[in-house]
């Protein structure tokens, strides 16, 4: 009788509505995600600019190529760490503790970057990457825990609303953090991002009383032997990394690019290793294995898109800062404010593309959508070729150049983000859906890792030729994927025909 009363009490508490008409548990998660994304996108808006600023300006003094590589390696590391982060939430901590401690690590990372000095900056980046990798996958797992079987529509609606919070934060954060960073000092911007994450952690901890037992325990707890094995692997990885850095320092050859290159290498290799591991899983039937291998080619095109889109916060961010006219009514706009353009264009264009997919879904395969996204992003980089040529010699160009590029990248992201998640969900049986979607995250990391390496080309060739070459590569790949990708049989029916799902899982 007592257990029944407790269950009824829990159900009544979880069904209570907030002032906005949503369950209180969802309002808590929604606000946590808004603050986490505020800190993340705010930091991203100024990271490359901070790294490329001279020591006299309070920056790290890296070259533009090195600063762009740092940005790409960092983003790739965040995506890669979501894999062990998801494992820890599922097998050790439970989703609630994973989100809480992930938020704490993120806040500590931002505060570390608020302290002037190289050590605080690089340590802060590692802490933020660890925290984001722990928080983000478990945030989605926590939401899923409130819905049972037969509630797919409600679950997808919740993810869609959460996706809106991501874009709102991505729109506002560069305006606030970018202004503070470029006017008062870079470390003020990082501190503001840390304060935002602190608010998020505090309200999450206070609002967790509305969660009941959801997320309190690991749904598939690992045994002692498995925990011990994973602990040994983690310790070994840390010891090897520390030994490499120590040898480098003792030899007097240590440079930040060595560490950046190592992180980039991790982002480049882990996706392929995980794909190989999953494709050889004995529980995967022959048909599922064959479809997964066919889906591999779309995963590569997914990586290529994010290799281009990831440069919005690095190469294109630097172009906005140094080569774009930013004066408006006597006020010089911070270069980081251009980072708000993509989320703005996403919010505007998403309803249009959603209507197109519903209207013409039967005629447009997933491969054609992947190809269209690549062509859009590639066209944006070809336009950047013209912008860079016009800016040659230290000239500044109209902001319309950059805004048109960001518009094309945003349209491509609206297409490939949700379509990639929806397609991944159809490749294998329900038992492997989480791991297959995890592949999409990891191949996003691959794109960021590629970005951290390919930007070095811009240090040896003129920028306009760099943009032209990368853009032409993406356009050619887009036509190949659209033309030949339809032959790939990566679903049981042979072709993905699911309408566009929410994009929350890809953000």
């Amino acid at each position: 009788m007592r257990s029944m009363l407790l269950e009824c009490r829990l159900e009544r508490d979880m069904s209570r509505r907030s002032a906005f008409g949503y369950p209180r548990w969802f309002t808590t998660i929604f606000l946590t995600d808004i603050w986490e994304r505020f800190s993340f996108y705010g930091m991203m808006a100024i990271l490359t600019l901070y790294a490329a600023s001279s020591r006299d300006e309070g920056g790290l003094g890296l070259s533009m190529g090195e600063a762009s590589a740092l940005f790409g390696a960092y983003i790739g590391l965040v995506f890669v760490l979501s894999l062990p982060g998801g494992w820890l939430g599922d097998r050790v901590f439970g989703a609630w503790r994973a989100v809480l401690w992930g938020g704490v690590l993120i806040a500590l990372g931002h505060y570390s970057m608020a302290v002037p000095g190289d050590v605080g900056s690089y340590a802060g980046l590692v802490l933020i990457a660890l925290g984001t990798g722990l928080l983000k996958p478990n945030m989605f797992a926590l939401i899923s825990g409130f819905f049972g079987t037969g509630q797919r529509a409600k679950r997808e609606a919740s993810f869609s609303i959460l996706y809106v919070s991501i874009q709102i934060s991505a729109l506002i954060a560069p305006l606030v953090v970018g202004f503070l960073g470029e006017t008062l000092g870079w470390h003020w911007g990082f501190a503001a991002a840390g304060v935002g994450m602190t608010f998020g952690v505090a309200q999450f901890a206070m609002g967790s009383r509305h969660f009941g037992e959801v997320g309190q325990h690991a749904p598939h707890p690992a045994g002692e032997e498995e925990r011990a094995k994973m602990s040994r692997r983690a310790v070994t990885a840390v010891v090897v990394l520390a030994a490499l850095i120590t040898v480098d320092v003792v030899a007097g050859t240590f440079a930040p690019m060595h560490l950046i290159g190592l992180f980039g290498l991790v982002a480049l290799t882990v996706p392929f290793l995980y794909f190989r591991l999953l494709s050889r899983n004995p529980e995967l039937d022959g048909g599922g294995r064959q479809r997964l291998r066919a889906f591999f080619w779309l995963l590569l095109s997914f990586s290529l898109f994010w290799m281009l889109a990831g440069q919005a916060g690095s190469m294109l961010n630097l172009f906005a800062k140094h080569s774009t006219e930013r004066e408006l009514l006597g006020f010089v706009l911070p270069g980081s404010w251009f980072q708000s353009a993509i989320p703005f264009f996403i919010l505007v264009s998403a309803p249009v593309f959603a209507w197109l997919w519903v209207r013409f879904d039967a005629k447009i395969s997933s491969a054609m959508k992947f190809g269209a996204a690549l062509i859009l992003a590639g066209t944006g980089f070809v336009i950047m070729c013209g912008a860079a040529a016009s800016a040659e010699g230290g000239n500044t160009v109209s902001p319309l150049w950059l805004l048109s590029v960001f518009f094309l990248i945003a349209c491509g992201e609206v297409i490939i983000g949700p379509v990639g998640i929806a397609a991944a969900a159809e490749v294998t049986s329900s038992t492997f859906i989480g791991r297959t979607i995890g592949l999409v995250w990891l191949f996003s990391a691959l794109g960021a890792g590629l970005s951290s390496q390919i930007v070095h080309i811009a240090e040896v060739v003129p920028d306009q030729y760099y943009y032209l070459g990368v853009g032409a590569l993406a356009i050619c790949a887009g036509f190949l994927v659209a033309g030949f990708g339809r032959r790939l049989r990566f679903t049981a029916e042979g072709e993905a025909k699911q309408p566009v799902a929410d994009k929350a899982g890809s953000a």
Side-chain angles (χ1 to χ4, degrees), residues 120-323:
S121 295
Y122 291 116
L125 285 176
V126 173
L127 286 172
I128 296 170
L130 289 169
T132 305
L134 186 60
L135 181 147
K136 204 59 185 171
N138 289 293
M139 181 78 78
F140 296 120
L142 186 59
I143 291 179
S144 296
F146 287 95
F147 301 98
T149 57
Q151 293 184 304
R152 177 181 176 183
K154 291 183 178 180
R155 182 185 294 108
E156 292 182 351
S158 297
F159 282 138
S160 296
I161 296 172
L162 203 66
Y163 169 59
V164 173
S165 77
I166 293 172
Q167 299 309 319
I168 291 174
S169 297
L171 180 66
I172 296 175
L175 303 179
V176 177
V177 177
F179 176 79
L180 292 174
E182 292 192 55
T183 56
L184 297 182
W186 302 114
H187 301 288
W188 284 97
F190 295 130
V195 170
M197 192 65 250
T198 301
F199 281 132
V201 171
Q203 72 87 34
F204 180 79
M206 291 186 294
S208 61
R209 66 182 184 274
H210 303 296
F211 294 171
E213 291 297 314
V214 175
Q216 295 296 319
H217 308 287
H220 306 99
E224 291 297 327
E225 183 178 349
E226 186 175 6
R227 289 194 183 195
K229 181 174 68 174
M230 297 304 293
S231 297
R232 287 194 298 269
R233 290 179 178 178
V235 170
T236 300
V238 172
V239 169
V240 170
L241 177 60
L244 290 174
I245 295 175
T246 301
V247 170
D248 208 9
V249 171
V250 171
T253 58
F254 177 77
M257 283 307 300
H258 294 174
L259 200 57
I260 294 171
L262 179 61
F263 289 155
L265 181 63
V266 170
L268 289 173
T269 56
V270 170
F272 293 103
L273 294 175
Y274 187 70
F275 178 86
R276 181 182 178 86
L277 181 66
L278 182 59
S279 63
R280 293 192 171 192
N281 192 307
E283 298 179 11
L284 191 66
D285 59 56
R289 185 172 293 107
Q290 187 175 13
R291 292 192 297 272
L292 184 63
R293 290 171 178 170
F295 187 58
F296 173 77
W297 300 103
L298 291 187
L299 288 172
L300 288 181
S301 64
F302 198 77
S303 295
L304 181 57
F305 174 84
W306 287 109
M307 184 189 79
L308 273 68
Q311 295 182 51
S314 55
M315 289 287 290
L316 303 187
N317 202 3
L318 291 168
F319 187 87
K321 174 75 172 179
H322 300 291
S323 303

Side-chain angles (χ1 to χ4, degrees), residues 2-64:
R2 183 178 180 183
S3 61
M4 292 179 61
L5 290 174
L6 289 173
E7 185 176 348
C8 292
R9 182 179 177 182
L10 171 61
E11 184 176 351
R12 184 175 64 252
D13 185 60
M14 289 173 57
S15 64
R16 287 177 181 171
R17 301 280 168 172
S18 68
F20 300 101
Y22 293 100
R24 292 186 182 277
W25 63 261
F26 182 78
T27 302
T28 298
I29 295 176
F30 181 85
L31 293 175
T32 304
D33 197 61
I34 276 192
W35 283 116
E36 187 274 327
R37 291 291 91 181
F38 174 88
S39 68
F40 181 77
Y41 284 107
M43 195 275 292
M44 285 180 61
I46 62 174
L47 175 59
T48 304
L49 303 181
Y50 162 66
S53 295
S54 66
R55 296 288 184 176
D56 293 338
E57 297 174 330
L60 293 178
L62 302 180
S63 69
M64 290 189 178

